[in-house]
Amino acid sequence: MSDTTTVTTTKSWGSRIKSALAGIIVGPLLIIGGSVLLWTNEGNNARMIAGMNEGRKSVVEIQENSIDPTNEWKLVHLVGDATTSDILRDPEVGLSITGIVLDRHVEMYQWEEKKHTESHDNVGWSETTTTTYTYSKVWDSDKHNSSSFNTTTGHENPKGWKYESQMWHATQVNIDQYNLTSELIGKIDPTTPINLASHGVMTQSGEIISGNTLYVGANQNSPAIGDLRVTYKVAESPLKLSILAKQTQKSLSTYIASSDADITRVSAGNKSAQEMFADMESENTLMTWIFRGVWFFLIFIGFSMFLSILPMLAMFLPFLGYVVNFGVSLLAFLATIVLGGGVVITAWFVYRPLFALLILTIVGIIAWGIVHVLRMKHRENTQILTSTDVPTTSTPSLPPTQL
């Protein structure tokens, strides 16, 4: 169940002007920062694409039961069973298990604050802001600092956790004759839940074990603020893995392509090299677009802050202020598209010139086609208008012959 608190504040026109003047300074910094980050994102994308293309051409298939010295420092693809004899331990609860990776995941039942803000202009050019704070109890692995809540009374979260999330990794993991470096072991995800009741986990006062969960609290059916849920997952041994990595004698380690892109990958199950590159490409495309959106939005915020002084100066007429505010938002959007698009295209010319030329050629052909169609339509309409405007002449009838 949640509860709410509403706070209403009013900002004078003078205070709004001060904030807008500050935006003239902060706005350009956001625009420059967003542009630099957007350029960096495009560079990372280009390096990753170049690295994947290099990897597809140079990857070497190897077998787990033989080591070929001619593959030293090359990108290799290997599918095999990863094994270890290491015993991973969580000394706090007395859990011991043979595995490659052990993950302890901890959630606390705690207060969470969410806020919703609405603003409107008043007569006299001031602004009233109404902020609604909603408090609800949730299970979350992230810590919510209740001291920063708007209303702390009645919404206090514990500062310390009895258990915290943690991971343990085996130090010696092999696929037959090859051993994996710590960097590759760190890329292995634990996915198998551990039944704590069957592993002799020790409980202390106020703790309950129920299947896969260690519950810290009086009653798991009626949780109280500060209660904990602790679960474990393990990457078992043996574990079928597909790996793209660098062969260094008997080790498999991180592979950095000539474009300075890390194309090392570890996937569970049996995957071909081309399947792993396809997954890598999808992941890279998704992350590139996510960061494009973030940095474009940062540039938009910068332009909006830089231009925010204009609606303030027009507020002496409320309707005019709304019109100018809409115009400023539209101008900020167009400026963001122009600047952001220019940064992306310029980055493509620097990092991917052939791709940039191809895109510009396609855009040019489409633009020419649109202009050509519009011209043809214009000619057809002109001919129709011309033909309808020409006056028709009629031959006058002669009077009947008089007899």
Side-chain angles (χ1 to χ4, degrees):
M1 190 172 181
S2 60
D3 59 82
T4 60
T5 300
T6 301
V7 177
T8 301
T9 59
T10 300
K11 182 184 289 187
S12 66
W13 183 75
S15 297
R16 298 178 71 183
I17 286 291
K18 291 179 181 178
S19 299
L21 291 174
I24 296 177
I25 300 174
V26 177
L29 297 178
L30 295 180
I31 295 170
I32 295 172
S35 300
V36 171
L37 292 169
L38 186 60
W39 178 278
T40 302
N41 181 58
E42 296 306 317
N44 292 337
N45 177 47
R47 282 188 287 272
M48 195 63 192
I49 291 174
M52 290 187 292
N53 291 337
E54 175 187 320
R56 284 190 174 99
K57 296 175 183 177
S58 62
V59 64
V60 177
E61 297 287 341
I62 63 173
Q63 301 300 318
E64 58 185 300
N65 56 4
S66 63
I67 297 177
D68 186 349
T70 61
N71 293 329
E72 286 292 296
W73 303 98
K74 292 182 180 179
L75 176 66
V76 297
H77 173 250
L78 172 66
V79 177
D81 292 326
T83 60
T84 185
S85 59
D86 289 4
I87 298 177
L88 304 177
R89 294 182 174 87
D90 180 355
E92 293 186 86
V93 300
L95 174 64
S96 298
I97 190 169
T98 300
I100 300 171
V101 183
L102 175 64
D103 175 35
R104 180 175 72 190
H105 182 71
V106 182
E107 297 174 297
M108 176 179 278
Y109 195 63
Q110 54 188 313
W111 285 105
E112 177 186 57
E113 179 188 72
K114 292 183 178 180
K115 68 178 182 178
H116 175 72
T117 301
E118 293 183 351
S119 300
H120 65 270
D121 297 323
N122 305 315
V123 177
W125 314 329
S126 63
E127 179 186 54
T128 297
T129 300
T130 301
T131 304
T132 302
Y133 297 90
T134 303
Y135 299 92
S136 55
K137 299 175 182 179
V138 296
W139 286 102
D140 202 338
S141 58
D142 294 328
K143 296 180 180 180
H144 295 266
N145 182 11
S146 57
S147 63
S148 63
F149 288 174
N150 177 263
T151 304
T152 57
T153 303
H155 306 117
E156 297 89 354
N157 287 326
K159 294 183 179 179
W161 293 34
K162 183 175 182 179
Y163 301 110
E164 300 207 13
S165 297
Q166 189 174 345
M167 296 186 78
W168 295 266
H169 297 83
T171 57
Q172 185 67 37
V173 180
N174 298 86
I175 298 182
D176 206 317
Q177 298 188 43
Y178 294 92
N179 63 75
L180 308 186
T181 59
S182 59
E183 292 83 5
L184 264 67
I185 296 173
K187 294 179 181 291
I188 300 173
D189 293 324
T191 57
T192 304
I194 298 177
N195 189 312
L196 301 180
S198 62
H199 279 80
V201 172
M202 300 179 298
T203 59
Q204 302 176 21
S205 176
E207 297 181 352
I208 305 169
I209 290 179
S210 176
N212 300 339
T213 304
L214 171 63
Y215 190 87
V216 182
N219 186 354
Q220 60 181 331
N221 295 320
S222 180
I225 294 297
D227 286 5
L228 299 176
R229 291 192 307 200
V230 186
T231 55
Y232 291 83
K233 289 183 179 180
V234 64
E236 296 179 299
S237 173
L239 179 65
K240 179 72 72 176
L241 293 178
S242 300
I243 296 178
L244 285 172
K246 178 176 65 177
Q247 178 180 321
T248 309
Q249 296 180 354
K250 293 185 178 181
S251 297
L252 297 177
S253 58
T254 302
Y255 184 89
I256 305 298
S258 59
S259 64
D260 203 32
D262 182 356
I263 57 174
T264 312
R265 287 296 183 275
V266 178
S267 299
N270 189 338
K271 287 190 174 183
S272 68
Q274 296 310 313
E275 287 176 319
M276 296 184 73
F277 278 116
D279 292 343
M280 199 184 310
E281 185 174 8
S282 298
E283 175 189 334
N284 179 63
T285 300
L286 176 62
M287 295 308 299
T288 298
W289 277 104
I290 288 176
F291 283 113
R292 273 181 189 154
V294 171
W295 306 142
F296 264 87
F297 183 69
L298 185 63
I299 294 173
F300 173 76
I301 294 298
F303 275 118
S304 298
M305 292 182 69
F306 180 70
L307 298 171
S308 62
I309 188 67
L310 299 179
M312 295 300 100
L313 296 176
M315 286 301 294
F316 60 91
L317 289 177
F319 176 76
L320 180 61
Y322 295 137
V323 172
V324 174
N325 189 50
F326 174 78
V328 164
S329 298
L330 180 61
L331 180 60
F333 175 77
L334 294 176
T336 299
I337 296 299
V338 172
L339 177 60
V343 170
V344 171
I345 293 174
T346 304
W348 285 354
F349 269 109
V350 173
Y351 296 110
R352 306 170 64 190
L354 294 179
F355 179 75
L357 287 174
L358 175 62
I359 294 298
L360 286 181
T361 301
I362 294 174
V363 171
I365 292 174
I366 294 174
W368 177 85
I370 293 174
V371 172
H372 179 71
V373 170
L374 291 177
R375 285 180 175 176
M376 293 296 293
K377 289 290 185 181
H378 179 69
R379 288 179 183 176
E380 291 177 2
N381 293 335
T382 302
Q383 291 175 355
I384 292 173
L385 290 174
T386 302
S387 62
T388 56
D389 289 342
V390 175
T392 56
T393 57
S394 59
T395 303
S397 57
L398 294 174
T401 303
Q402 299 293 324
L403 295 176

